[in-house]
């Protein structure tokens, strides 16, 4: 009896050990699977734009494909273990090389979107086959009730860790270059753990196949990781006309600097932010008219503007005592402080003792700030997404108004009055709805086309602002373009070329973000 008891104990321990190995594998595949979704969604956003649409579609397509994979798994009748190991090997390669395949496709064809969604279907199908196979493998160790609950539990726990990894480690530190290879290694490790722990149960034929496959996959993963950076750089370069001299993926965005002759272009997520050749045509109209309207402001808040060029213009006024710049991305403000290209462009403004840098969300900052500002300068990317659209909402402008002093003013860039007329008018109307009187301005920027701004004042009427600016002199300020004549020119638009009256245009609200749709329906192709 004692021998039987010892034998039963040993069998139970062995059974529990094999079951735990399977659950550990499910935990790892859950982590890898969810991060694979995020990588493909990020790639789709970077190459195709509109993050809300791309994330929603990628996740939906992958979930559908996982359902397809689950259905296909029922056709696997025998050799479940070998089938699962094979799936992990294949999945490791597709996940690891997803970025490289996408960037290479972008370099040679116009079908990047088709490739990203094809990868989503393939990877999603393979992920969908994992759980049903593990449940079937684990059924001999646990009852159905415990089996399904424990397997699904480990998969969901792995998904949580995967999300944390992607946000705080993968994207900010490894980027889209090496994060996929980390995931590929996870899937490869799952296959190897199962192979090593169960190799005695495999036939000679299956042993030869799985070990040969493991060597091949390992060589491809190692070789791919060494070749990843040059391939990504090659694909990145194909996205831009000029030479890429700086490229960095932050937690929030892809930052790229290109060079042509002696001029530099700054891109965020593939969208032009400024060009050293003509950025003064943007930053001077953004800052100087608003300073005049704010009547010698002393305490300034800049929301966005992480390149430091708006700060450079503000520092030309000796009466300004303090400038707080709130930009979400510390990588961007660090670039402005330390990168020799941007530092030279902003004249080292971000290291000035008058400047305080805060890296947080602008909406949260203005809603929590108890400071009163004389001028708020809003220098944000275009409202091409729902996330950015909230920083152009009536609620946001209302918070800005609440944070302004008696004679305070606010200015924001407002996209193009000609290429995006509905978005331009929407911003104007939304600022008015927040309690401001609004004066719109425009100027031709060589690299960006006709651009617009909106100055908001709680106390001065539009006519009063126009009168003050028309009489103002900019001779005492060292500017590259702006002068008295240029100031007068910016205030006049002529007739409404597109007949886009504000009557038919809705106010942009947080619960009704119409602005980004107006922006995406614009005439950018004409430029």
């Amino acid at each position: 009896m004692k021998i039987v008891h010892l034998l039963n104990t040993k069998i139970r321990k062995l059974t529990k050990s094999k079951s735990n190995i399977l659950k550990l594998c499910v935990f790892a595949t859950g982590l890898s699977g969810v991060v694979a979704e995020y990588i493909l969604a990020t790639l789709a956003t970077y190459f195709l734009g509109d993050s809300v649409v791309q994330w929603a579609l990628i996740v939906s397509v992958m979930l559908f494909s996982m359902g397809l994979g689950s259905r296909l798994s029922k056709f696997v009748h025998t050799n479940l273990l070998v089938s699962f190991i094979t799936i992990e090997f294949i999945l490791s390669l597709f996940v690891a090389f997803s970025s490289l395949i996408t960037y290479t496709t972008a370099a040679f064809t116009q079908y990047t979107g088709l490739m990203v969604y094809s990868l989503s279907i393939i990877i999603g199908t393979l992920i969908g086959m994992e759980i049903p196979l593990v449940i079937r493998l684990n059924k001999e160790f646990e009852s159905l009730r415990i089996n399904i609950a424990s397997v699904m539990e480990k998969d969901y726990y792995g998904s949580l860790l995967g999300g944390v990894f992607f946000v705080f480690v993968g994207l900010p530190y490894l980027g889209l270059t090496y994060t996929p290879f980390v995931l590929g290694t996870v899937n490869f490790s799952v296959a190897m753990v199962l192979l090593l722990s169960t190799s005695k149960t495999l036939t000679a034929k299956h042993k030869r196949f799985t070990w040969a496959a493991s060597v091949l996959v390992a060589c491809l993963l190692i070789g791919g990781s060494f070749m990843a950076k040059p391939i990504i750089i090659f694909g990145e370069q194909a996205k831009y006309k000029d030479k890429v001299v700086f490229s960095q993926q932050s937690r929030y965005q892809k930052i790229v600097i290109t060079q042509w002759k002696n001029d530099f272009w700054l891109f965020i997520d593939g969208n032009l932010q400024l060009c050293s050749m003509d950025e003064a045509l943007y930053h001077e109209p953004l800052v100087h008219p608003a300073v005049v309207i704010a009547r010698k402001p002393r305490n300034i808040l800049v929301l966005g503007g992480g390149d430091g060029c708006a700060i450079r213009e503000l520092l030309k006024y000796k009466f300004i005592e303090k400038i707080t710049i709130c930009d979400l991305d510390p990588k961007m403000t660090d670039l402005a402080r330390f990168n020799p290209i941007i530092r030279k462009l902003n004249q080292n403004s971000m290291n000035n003792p008058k400047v305080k840098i805060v890296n947080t969300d602008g909406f949260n900052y203005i809603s929590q700030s108890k400071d009163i500002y004389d001028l708020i300068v809003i220098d944000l990317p275009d409202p091409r997404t729902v996330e950015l659209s909230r920083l152009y909402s009536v609620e946001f402008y209302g918070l800005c108004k609440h944070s302004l002093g008696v004679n305070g003013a606010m200015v924001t860039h407002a996209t193009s009055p000609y290429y995006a007329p509905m978005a331009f008018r929407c911003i104007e109307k939304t600022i008015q709805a927040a309690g401001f009187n609004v004066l719109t301005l425009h100027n031709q920027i060589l690299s960006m086309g006709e651009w617009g701004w909106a100055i908001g004042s709680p106390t001065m009427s539009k006519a009063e602002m126009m009168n003050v600016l028309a009489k103002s002199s900019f001779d005492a300020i060292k500017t590259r373009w702006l002068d008295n004549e240029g100031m007068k020119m910016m205030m006049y638009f002529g007739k409404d070329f597109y007949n886009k009256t504000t009557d038919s245009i809705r106010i942009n609200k947080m619960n009704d973000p119409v602005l980004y749709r107006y922006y995406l329906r614009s005439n950018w192709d004409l430029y």
Side-chain angles (χ1 to χ4, degrees), residues 187-201:
N187 289 110
F188 177 76
S189 299
V190 166
M192 291 306 299
V193 167
L194 286 175
L195 182 56
L196 291 169
S197 61
T198 61
S199 60
K200 293 180 181 179
T201 64

PDB file of all heavy atoms in Angstrom, residues 187-201:
ATOM      1  N   ASN A 187       7.450  33.635 -27.770  1.00  0.00           N
ATOM      2  CA  ASN A 187       6.791  32.499 -28.406  1.00  0.00           C
ATOM      3  C   ASN A 187       7.761  31.347 -28.653  1.00  0.00           C
ATOM      4  O   ASN A 187       7.422  30.169 -28.468  1.00  0.00           O
ATOM      5  CB  ASN A 187       6.168  32.924 -29.732  1.00  0.00           C
ATOM      6  CG  ASN A 187       4.945  33.810 -29.548  1.00  0.00           C
ATOM      7  OD1 ASN A 187       4.982  34.997 -29.846  1.00  0.00           O
ATOM      8  ND2 ASN A 187       3.863  33.240 -29.056  1.00  0.00           N
ATOM      9  N   PHE A 188       8.972  31.694 -29.057  1.00  0.00           N
ATOM     10  CA  PHE A 188      10.001  30.670 -29.272  1.00  0.00           C
ATOM     11  C   PHE A 188      10.329  29.958 -27.961  1.00  0.00           C
ATOM     12  O   PHE A 188      10.492  28.723 -27.926  1.00  0.00           O
ATOM     13  CB  PHE A 188      11.255  31.308 -29.862  1.00  0.00           C
ATOM     14  CG  PHE A 188      12.397  30.352 -30.061  1.00  0.00           C
ATOM     15  CD1 PHE A 188      12.382  29.449 -31.112  1.00  0.00           C
ATOM     16  CD2 PHE A 188      13.475  30.356 -29.189  1.00  0.00           C
ATOM     17  CE1 PHE A 188      13.436  28.562 -31.300  1.00  0.00           C
ATOM     18  CE2 PHE A 188      14.537  29.472 -29.368  1.00  0.00           C
ATOM     19  CZ  PHE A 188      14.509  28.566 -30.427  1.00  0.00           C
ATOM     20  N   SER A 189      10.402  30.717 -26.871  1.00  0.00           N
ATOM     21  CA  SER A 189      10.719  30.136 -25.561  1.00  0.00           C
ATOM     22  C   SER A 189       9.610  29.191 -25.104  1.00  0.00           C
ATOM     23  O   SER A 189       9.883  28.147 -24.504  1.00  0.00           O
ATOM     24  CB  SER A 189      10.916  31.250 -24.520  1.00  0.00           C
ATOM     25  OG  SER A 189      11.999  32.084 -24.897  1.00  0.00           O
ATOM     26  N   VAL A 190       8.361  29.572 -25.376  1.00  0.00           N
ATOM     27  CA  VAL A 190       7.231  28.697 -25.043  1.00  0.00           C
ATOM     28  C   VAL A 190       7.381  27.354 -25.744  1.00  0.00           C
ATOM     29  O   VAL A 190       7.228  26.279 -25.136  1.00  0.00           O
ATOM     30  CB  VAL A 190       5.895  29.361 -25.442  1.00  0.00           C
ATOM     31  CG1 VAL A 190       4.750  28.348 -25.415  1.00  0.00           C
ATOM     32  CG2 VAL A 190       5.581  30.521 -24.501  1.00  0.00           C
ATOM     33  N   ALA A 191       7.698  27.415 -27.033  1.00  0.00           N
ATOM     34  CA  ALA A 191       7.873  26.183 -27.806  1.00  0.00           C
ATOM     35  C   ALA A 191       9.019  25.347 -27.251  1.00  0.00           C
ATOM     36  O   ALA A 191       8.914  24.112 -27.127  1.00  0.00           O
ATOM     37  CB  ALA A 191       8.121  26.514 -29.280  1.00  0.00           C
ATOM     38  N   MET A 192      10.103  26.010 -26.875  1.00  0.00           N
ATOM     39  CA  MET A 192      11.280  25.286 -26.381  1.00  0.00           C
ATOM     40  C   MET A 192      11.030  24.667 -25.009  1.00  0.00           C
ATOM     41  O   MET A 192      11.497  23.551 -24.726  1.00  0.00           O
ATOM     42  CB  MET A 192      12.489  26.224 -26.322  1.00  0.00           C
ATOM     43  CG  MET A 192      13.009  26.648 -27.682  1.00  0.00           C
ATOM     44  SD  MET A 192      13.382  25.257 -28.780  1.00  0.00           S
ATOM     45  CE  MET A 192      14.660  24.409 -27.855  1.00  0.00           C
ATOM     46  N   VAL A 193      10.303  25.381 -24.141  1.00  0.00           N
ATOM     47  CA  VAL A 193       9.979  24.827 -22.823  1.00  0.00           C
ATOM     48  C   VAL A 193       9.154  23.558 -22.976  1.00  0.00           C
ATOM     49  O   VAL A 193       9.411  22.530 -22.321  1.00  0.00           O
ATOM     50  CB  VAL A 193       9.228  25.872 -21.965  1.00  0.00           C
ATOM     51  CG1 VAL A 193       8.601  25.220 -20.738  1.00  0.00           C
ATOM     52  CG2 VAL A 193      10.173  26.977 -21.536  1.00  0.00           C
ATOM     53  N   LEU A 194       8.163  23.605 -23.836  1.00  0.00           N
ATOM     54  CA  LEU A 194       7.346  22.421 -24.071  1.00  0.00           C
ATOM     55  C   LEU A 194       8.149  21.301 -24.709  1.00  0.00           C
ATOM     56  O   LEU A 194       7.995  20.120 -24.364  1.00  0.00           O
ATOM     57  CB  LEU A 194       6.160  22.779 -24.967  1.00  0.00           C
ATOM     58  CG  LEU A 194       5.035  23.576 -24.308  1.00  0.00           C
ATOM     59  CD1 LEU A 194       3.994  23.975 -25.343  1.00  0.00           C
ATOM     60  CD2 LEU A 194       4.389  22.763 -23.195  1.00  0.00           C
ATOM     61  N   LEU A 195       9.012  21.668 -25.643  1.00  0.00           N
ATOM     62  CA  LEU A 195       9.821  20.662 -26.334  1.00  0.00           C
ATOM     63  C   LEU A 195      10.770  19.960 -25.372  1.00  0.00           C
ATOM     64  O   LEU A 195      10.904  18.725 -25.381  1.00  0.00           O
ATOM     65  CB  LEU A 195      10.602  21.317 -27.474  1.00  0.00           C
ATOM     66  CG  LEU A 195      11.481  20.405 -28.337  1.00  0.00           C
ATOM     67  CD1 LEU A 195      10.667  19.272 -28.945  1.00  0.00           C
ATOM     68  CD2 LEU A 195      12.166  21.214 -29.432  1.00  0.00           C
ATOM     69  N   LEU A 196      11.430  20.728 -24.518  1.00  0.00           N
ATOM     70  CA  LEU A 196      12.387  20.145 -23.575  1.00  0.00           C
ATOM     71  C   LEU A 196      11.699  19.310 -22.497  1.00  0.00           C
ATOM     72  O   LEU A 196      12.239  18.283 -22.062  1.00  0.00           O
ATOM     73  CB  LEU A 196      13.207  21.261 -22.918  1.00  0.00           C
ATOM     74  CG  LEU A 196      14.196  21.993 -23.840  1.00  0.00           C
ATOM     75  CD1 LEU A 196      14.754  23.241 -23.155  1.00  0.00           C
ATOM     76  CD2 LEU A 196      15.343  21.063 -24.249  1.00  0.00           C
ATOM     77  N   SER A 197      10.509  19.756 -22.063  1.00  0.00           N
ATOM     78  CA  SER A 197       9.832  19.052 -20.967  1.00  0.00           C
ATOM     79  C   SER A 197       9.065  17.822 -21.435  1.00  0.00           C
ATOM     80  O   SER A 197       8.714  16.964 -20.614  1.00  0.00           O
ATOM     81  CB  SER A 197       8.881  20.008 -20.241  1.00  0.00           C
ATOM     82  OG  SER A 197       7.893  20.480 -21.133  1.00  0.00           O
ATOM     83  N   THR A 198       8.808  17.723 -22.726  1.00  0.00           N
ATOM     84  CA  THR A 198       7.988  16.597 -23.223  1.00  0.00           C
ATOM     85  C   THR A 198       8.660  15.822 -24.345  1.00  0.00           C
ATOM     86  O   THR A 198       8.010  15.011 -25.012  1.00  0.00           O
ATOM     87  CB  THR A 198       6.626  17.126 -23.729  1.00  0.00           C
ATOM     88  OG1 THR A 198       6.859  18.048 -24.814  1.00  0.00           O
ATOM     89  CG2 THR A 198       5.845  17.822 -22.632  1.00  0.00           C
ATOM     90  N   SER A 199       9.939  16.052 -24.564  1.00  0.00           N
ATOM     91  CA  SER A 199      10.613  15.417 -25.703  1.00  0.00           C
ATOM     92  C   SER A 199      10.597  13.879 -25.610  1.00  0.00           C
ATOM     93  O   SER A 199      10.583  13.193 -26.640  1.00  0.00           O
ATOM     94  CB  SER A 199      12.060  15.910 -25.802  1.00  0.00           C
ATOM     95  OG  SER A 199      12.767  15.578 -24.620  1.00  0.00           O
ATOM     96  N   LYS A 200      10.550  13.351 -24.379  1.00  0.00           N
ATOM     97  CA  LYS A 200      10.564  11.892 -24.219  1.00  0.00           C
ATOM     98  C   LYS A 200       9.276  11.256 -24.747  1.00  0.00           C
ATOM     99  O   LYS A 200       9.254  10.058 -25.057  1.00  0.00           O
ATOM    100  CB  LYS A 200      10.756  11.535 -22.745  1.00  0.00           C
ATOM    101  CG  LYS A 200      12.133  11.918 -22.202  1.00  0.00           C
ATOM    102  CD  LYS A 200      12.259  11.536 -20.742  1.00  0.00           C
ATOM    103  CE  LYS A 200      13.622  11.927 -20.189  1.00  0.00           C
ATOM    104  NZ  LYS A 200      13.760  11.571 -18.744  1.00  0.00           N
ATOM    105  N   THR A 201       8.226  12.063 -24.823  1.00  0.00           N
ATOM    106  CA  THR A 201       6.945  11.506 -25.284  1.00  0.00           C
ATOM    107  C   THR A 201       6.773  11.590 -26.805  1.00  0.00           C
ATOM    108  O   THR A 201       5.793  11.072 -27.343  1.00  0.00           O
ATOM    109  CB  THR A 201       5.775  12.264 -24.621  1.00  0.00           C
ATOM    110  OG1 THR A 201       5.799  13.639 -25.076  1.00  0.00           O
ATOM    111  CG2 THR A 201       5.896  12.239 -23.107  1.00  0.00           C
TER     112      THR A 201
END
